Amino acid sequence: MSKLANLMVPGVAGAGVMIGAAYMLANTMVPEVHAPVAETMGLTAKAESAPAPVPMVYALGRPATPEEVAAWDIDVRPDGHGLPDGSGDVWTGEELYIDNCAVCHGDFGEAIGRWPVLAGGQGSLTDDRPVKTIGSYWPYLSTVYDYVNRAMPFGNAQSLSDDEVYAITAYLLYLNDLVDDDFVLDQESFAAFEMPNQPAFYMDDRADTEYALFTGEPCMTNCAETVQITARAAVVDVTPEDEAAREARAAAHEAEEAVVEVAAVAAEPAAVEAEPVAVTEPAAAGPDLIAAGEKVFKKCAACHQVGDGARNRSGPALNNILGHPAGAVDGFRYSSVFQDMQAAGLVWTEDELAAFLTAPKTYAAGTKMSFRGLSDEEDLTAVIAYLGSFAE
Amino acid sequence: MTDRTGPTRRALLGAMAAGGAAAAAGIARAGSDPAITEIQPWMQELGEGVDARPYGTPSRFEAHVKRRNVEWLTADPVSSVNFTPLHEMEGIITPNGLCFERHHAGIADVDPSVHRLMINGLVDRELVFTMEDLARFPRHNRVYFLECAANSGMEWRGAQLNGCQFTHGMIHNVMYTGVMLRDVLNAAGVQTAGKWILPEGADASGMTRSIPMEKALDDCMIATHMNGERLRPEQGYPVRLVVPGWEGNMWVKWLRRIEVGDQPWHHREETSKYTDLLADGQARRFTWAMDAKSVITNPSPQAPLTHGPGPTVLTGVAWSGRGTIPRVDVTLDGGKNWHQARMDGPSLDKSMHRFYFDFEWDGKPLLLQSRAHDSTGYVQPTKNQLRAVRGENSIYHNNGIQTWHVDARGEAENVEIG
């Protein structure tokens, strides 16, 4: 500790230490990026010409413990740096994928809605609509491991074990036809693996390929004989909201010289409030069961919220769902099968919820919910108890 | 959703348009203006006291000025983007509440008392800082724009979104207060082999980007404040990285760790995303700098000319990730003839600039464009010039010239011309 404190003494008084530090830092400041790249980066010229000022070293902060560094330093590089011990095979990966990933990315990596497509697309990069997937685009396998490990499953990040991340990564390679079904990913097979699109990437070359083209005094007068409109956004018509304002203005124009009385009209959405259906109160579930259900609910949390401030996301908010009509959460755009259920007066009793959650796609054919279902009866009971705890 | 007391956006615009039409037709002289001849409530009644608004908000008549989302762009608002209403703004500073947001796992709700910044990797001393520790480094104030690399990305294939908020609103420009990244790195002692840093966010996406050491030691900051107050949660409270002139994704929010290494990490946001796929199937990586760009904010599709012919103020903003903007050209006729716009307000390195062109509108249709020149001599290209080099699939770094068609009524539309 005292040695550290000495090293970090600030100010010009600690001359010996400071000179050492200055040399070291001067070395690190020498740009090794070649000139055009430096230009692209917009680095200031003064860094090259002016002598580097002696940097001040401030004795702030405290040493990180090895345990702290280990807890946060999870990043993995293409050379395998940072990859933990462990392994995972394709079939283990499939099970994990179906439970944790398919709800957004689809059973085969084809994606639900606008979630990222993970598989396919090989050979499409020069198409009008390229499909950029792990197999068709990603240059490094380490990126798959690192990203799944740090950020997935969406809404439950860093919940997978190292072996599970290995297995899911192996399965993603399999989905992309890059390995056979007996493939096992570990540090050794990782080192031997190369992604097919790796050679297609190269360093930013705008300084060489564009900047000369886009420099120089441009024409200011009589630069074109004729100018024609070749494309219009109004034809594409994908702009949100402001169309209303536009129409209002158009109407005002048409009224010409007439004085238009404009009343402040609050655009309240038509109130569609489902009448809660009286059902027998579900038996109060114990705190242990509810806690177990909370854990199971993590599988749902990527798309559903429940509790204080829960809002509709990919799936409807689930407050007060037990004992209430199906397909009736305010503001959620249901698929037609749920609209039909609501019309038929279906109510989410424990039995109905259990049937739905056991086999969603069988129970509600055509549902947007791509969850495979809960096969474990205890999980089912628990998650329903958990949902039941958010009754109003 | 609508403000209970204020007029709706629709009503307001309708009223403006009607008034404009009337004035243009020369019939506004009917009688005395009741706005003057009648006593308004605020002239007579007392207003709210000083305790009513401990943290002030804009006038209720400005409720339409807000960030907006384009729902179809993304799967879920938690991993999505909204847009700065450029057409409602003046000067060069973006108010904190209007700075566009882009999150990859929602807004992290970070408690600063348990937030730490760690420096690890190729350093002499792996260190941990509390927020109080960071505040003891010398502080600096700098105004920088932050532009998402995907700003205008929806326009590669042609005019698509009607409004500069949507075509150009993934940008904001604020004054940051913070400490120089080099001071913090020097405290840890970067080793000679340390050529790259990997900043990492504390949110559930664990955002990471590789940044070369030259940039880290040049002008990067660790910011704690924006426009004089603490960073907003959606902008990375309590600390974010500031990477001047470079694409917004690198400005890691909720910054919790910086690793020093000898090579880049090639993480998801610098391989799968934020790489520029060209027409030949090859892809540029590490396209960090944001090239010079400009857009006319008024008039524009969300901000039509409602006053009819006569004196007219055209305005817009311009910026470059490689310097300042000494000059902007404006055309009213689709590029047949250009005029130098009037630059007004501070001209700061890697900051937004404001330009004006004051002209007499004859009431005939206009084809408006602006063209930025930056301090390196670079001139903002047309969209077709960019397409000739890059094709239409690169998503990112679309800094092509924007065209608005203004019709005889003053309505503006996003168009392309040839």
Side-chain angles (χ1 to χ4, degrees):
Chain A
M1 194 59 210
S2 64
K3 184 180 165 202
L4 185 76
N6 279 337
L7 266 171
M8 293 166 67
V9 164
V12 283
V17 173
M18 289 307 299
I19 288 167
Y23 274 122
M24 178 198 65
L25 284 151
N27 277 340
T28 64
M29 286 180 76
V30 174
E32 292 209 333
V33 181
H34 76 286
V37 175
E39 193 185 330
T40 311
M41 299 192 314
L43 294 175
T44 43
K46 63 177 161 50
E48 287 162 40
S49 50
V54 176
M56 182 83 170
V57 177
Y58 300 92
L60 291 167
R62 61 153 177 90
T65 69
E67 293 74 23
E68 288 173 334
V69 174
W72 276 7
D73 185 3
I74 59 169
D75 46 81
V76 179
R77 284 195 322 209
D79 63 358
H81 181 85
L83 207 55
D85 290 333
S87 70
D89 63 81
V90 167
W91 295 125
T92 306
E94 183 192 33
E95 262 181 58
L96 289 161
Y97 177 90
I98 294 294
D99 280 353
N100 293 286
C101 321
V103 60
C104 296
H105 296 292
D107 284 354
F108 305 100
E110 77 282 11
I112 309 294
R114 291 194 66 86
W115 295 106
V117 181
L118 300 183
Q122 278 92 343
S124 74
L125 295 183
T126 55
D127 292 355
D128 283 349
R129 303 279 169 174
V131 181
K132 295 193 283 184
T133 71
I134 292 169
S136 71
Y137 193 65
W138 292 35
Y140 300 106
L141 179 56
S142 57
T143 313
V144 184
Y145 185 99
D146 178 87
Y147 186 69
V148 172
N149 186 41
R150 74 171 53 248
M152 293 289 115
F154 193 61
N156 193 19
Q158 298 198 44
S159 61
L160 299 165
S161 71
D162 294 343
D163 284 348
E164 288 175 330
V165 178
Y166 271 111
I168 288 171
T169 307
Y171 184 64
L172 290 170
L173 292 178
Y174 175 74
L175 276 183
N176 278 287
D177 297 323
L178 295 172
V179 297
D180 292 328
D181 61 5
D182 59 354
F183 180 74
V184 177
L185 184 66
D186 55 19
Q187 287 183 352
E188 197 179 329
S189 58
F190 172 91
F193 196 89
E194 273 185 30
M195 297 289 268
N197 197 46
Q198 197 275 318
F201 286 82
Y202 61 93
M203 187 70 192
D204 183 4
D205 65 348
R206 282 176 292 173
D208 297 328
T209 55
E210 295 185 5
Y211 288 169
L213 288 176
F214 305 152
T215 302
E217 180 58 33
C219 175
M220 292 295 283
T221 49
N222 300 320
C223 306
E225 295 257 314
T226 56
V227 175
Q228 282 184 321
I229 292 175
T230 56
R232 319 178 69 115
V235 174
V236 183
D237 194 19
V238 288
T239 311
E241 296 181 67
D242 281 12
E243 289 309 309
R246 172 178 296 276
E247 282 161 20
R249 289 196 304 270
H253 281 301
E254 276 153 28
E256 290 185 322
E257 287 157 29
V259 178
V260 183
E261 280 280 322
V262 186
V265 181
E268 285 296 323
V272 189
E273 277 177 34
E275 284 290 312
V277 179
V279 286
T280 45
E281 278 291 303
D288 288 354
L289 189 61
I290 290 172
E294 185 178 5
K295 241 175 149 179
V296 177
F297 188 75
K298 285 182 176 170
K299 292 180 198 279
C300 323
C303 303
H304 291 283
Q305 294 187 343
V306 70
D308 276 351
R311 289 183 303 164
N312 293 333
R313 290 177 52 190
S314 304
L318 295 179
N319 286 343
N320 222 13
I321 197 77
L322 192 62
H324 285 256
V329 173
D330 260 0
F332 186 75
R333 284 175 298 178
Y334 284 95
S335 51
S336 56
V337 61
F338 273 90
Q339 292 170 17
D340 294 348
M341 282 185 203
Q342 190 203 12
L346 181 87
V347 170
W348 284 127
T349 61
E350 288 183 18
D351 287 350
E352 292 292 346
L353 259 184
F356 174 48
L357 294 178
T358 305
K361 286 175 183 164
T362 316
Y363 181 93
T367 175
K368 285 190 287 184
M369 186 168 107
S370 66
F371 184 57
R372 192 195 214 186
L374 290 168
S375 47
D376 186 321
E377 201 148 316
E378 284 178 17
D379 283 356
L380 259 179
T381 315
V383 82
I384 291 170
Y386 176 65
L387 291 173
S389 71
F390 294 98
E392 279 162 17
Chain B
M1 288 296 150
T2 317
D3 180 8
R4 271 180 296 114
T5 48
T8 62
R9 167 87 173 141
R10 178 196 302 225
L12 198 63
L13 281 166
M16 287 162 61
I27 59 150
R29 51 177 65 241
S32 296
D33 185 351
I36 295 171
T37 57
E38 291 175 13
I39 294 178
Q40 302 298 333
W42 55 86
M43 297 172 176
Q44 196 151 45
E45 299 159 14
L46 303 177
E48 288 176 332
V50 292
D51 292 330
R53 305 180 187 209
Y55 193 106
T57 51
S59 161
R60 62 194 170 97
F61 299 104
E62 298 298 315
H64 56 282
V65 180
K66 57 189 180 185
R67 301 181 283 217
R68 288 175 195 271
N69 175 17
V70 177
E71 219 175 86
W72 53 264
L73 270 182
T74 51
D76 189 303
V78 162
S79 179
S80 191
V81 62
N82 61 18
F83 299 84
T84 303
L86 293 175
H87 61 293
E88 298 283 3
M89 294 162 47
E90 273 293 347
I92 65 165
I93 295 292
T94 315
N96 289 339
L98 293 178
C99 291
F100 86 97
E101 305 166 65
R102 203 290 184 232
H103 318 303
H104 293 74
I107 303 167
D109 183 24
V110 176
D111 175 352
S113 71
V114 289
H115 187 69
R116 306 284 181 264
L117 175 67
M118 177 188 290
I119 311 287
N120 74 304
L122 299 179
V123 291
D124 295 336
R125 302 167 287 279
E126 295 188 318
L127 295 176
V128 171
F129 300 97
T130 62
M131 300 306 97
E132 290 78 19
D133 293 335
L134 286 180
R136 295 173 65 192
F137 286 96
R139 288 199 285 280
H140 301 266
N141 294 286
R142 300 271 191 281
V143 178
Y144 292 121
F145 77 84
L146 180 162
E147 183 185 17
C148 177
N151 201 19
S152 314
M154 292 81 82
E155 304 289 310
W156 274 108
R157 291 169 203 281
Q160 183 159 275
L161 287 160
N162 241 341
C164 66
Q165 179 168 20
F166 304 113
T167 56
H168 290 75
M170 285 193 242
I171 186 167
H172 54 68
N173 197 65
V174 309
M175 177 180 283
Y176 295 97
T177 305
V179 304
M180 298 310 294
L181 175 58
R182 62 173 167 263
D183 286 341
V184 177
L185 288 174
N186 288 346
V190 174
Q191 295 175 1
T192 312
K195 299 297 182 197
W196 293 81
I197 63 164
L198 182 81
E200 178 178 70
D203 65 325
S205 79
M207 177 58 63
T208 44
R209 285 294 300 260
S210 302
I211 299 175
M213 187 62 73
E214 304 87 283
K215 181 68 174 176
L217 298 178
D218 181 27
D219 57 0
C220 290
M221 298 170 72
I222 297 174
T224 51
H225 293 70
M226 56 196 292
N227 292 337
E229 65 177 0
R230 291 277 175 191
L231 293 173
R232 293 288 171 92
E234 63 268 35
Q235 303 299 342
Y237 178 89
V239 270
R240 90 171 306 164
L241 195 64
V242 170
V243 190
W246 288 17
E247 61 190 23
N249 181 255
M250 308 178 81
W251 302 45
V252 173
K253 299 190 282 191
W254 312 291
L255 182 69
R256 77 155 178 226
R257 187 171 71 96
I258 297 171
E259 181 167 348
V260 177
D262 60 355
Q263 51 184 279
W265 280 260
H266 297 285
H267 277 182
R268 193 237 191 189
E269 311 298 331
E270 51 201 12
T271 54
S272 165
K273 307 292 177 186
Y274 303 100
T275 50
D276 308 354
L277 176 62
L278 304 189
D280 63 1
Q282 307 257 307
R284 287 176 181 159
R285 65 158 64 103
F286 298 149
T287 45
W288 299 309
M290 301 307 296
D291 287 327
K293 187 167 174 179
S294 67
V295 66
I296 293 169
T297 55
N298 306 79
S300 65
Q302 298 161 287
L305 292 176
T306 54
H307 52 54
T312 300
V313 175
L314 176 156
T315 188
V317 285
W319 59 93
S320 168
R322 299 198 297 133
T324 58
I325 301 287
R327 170 179 161 191
V328 174
D329 304 327
V330 167
T331 177
L332 307 179
D333 57 12
K336 290 180 186 170
N337 297 288
W338 293 83
H339 318 272
Q340 281 201 28
R342 173 170 62 87
M343 307 303 298
D344 194 285
S347 173
L348 301 168
D349 185 44
K350 303 180 181 73
S351 163
M352 202 177 259
H353 291 58
R354 172 65 59 174
F355 66 87
Y356 294 94
F357 184 65
D358 312 294
F359 71 105
E360 195 79 10
W361 184 34
D362 59 8
K364 296 202 175 100
L366 305 167
L367 281 169
L368 304 179
Q369 296 181 326
S370 62
R371 179 172 68 195
H373 300 239
D374 79 10
S375 48
T376 72
Y378 179 96
V379 182
Q380 184 182 2
T382 65
K383 289 180 182 175
N384 281 334
Q385 280 180 301
L386 284 180
R387 291 181 185 122
V389 179
R390 303 190 200 163
E392 296 182 357
N393 286 332
S394 59
I395 300 175
Y396 306 104
H397 294 282
N398 183 353
N399 65 320
I401 290 173
Q402 175 65 45
T403 312
W404 306 126
H405 174 245
V406 178
D407 67 18
R409 299 177 308 172
E411 290 282 342
E413 185 189 351
N414 177 9
V415 300
E416 289 209 22
I417 55 174

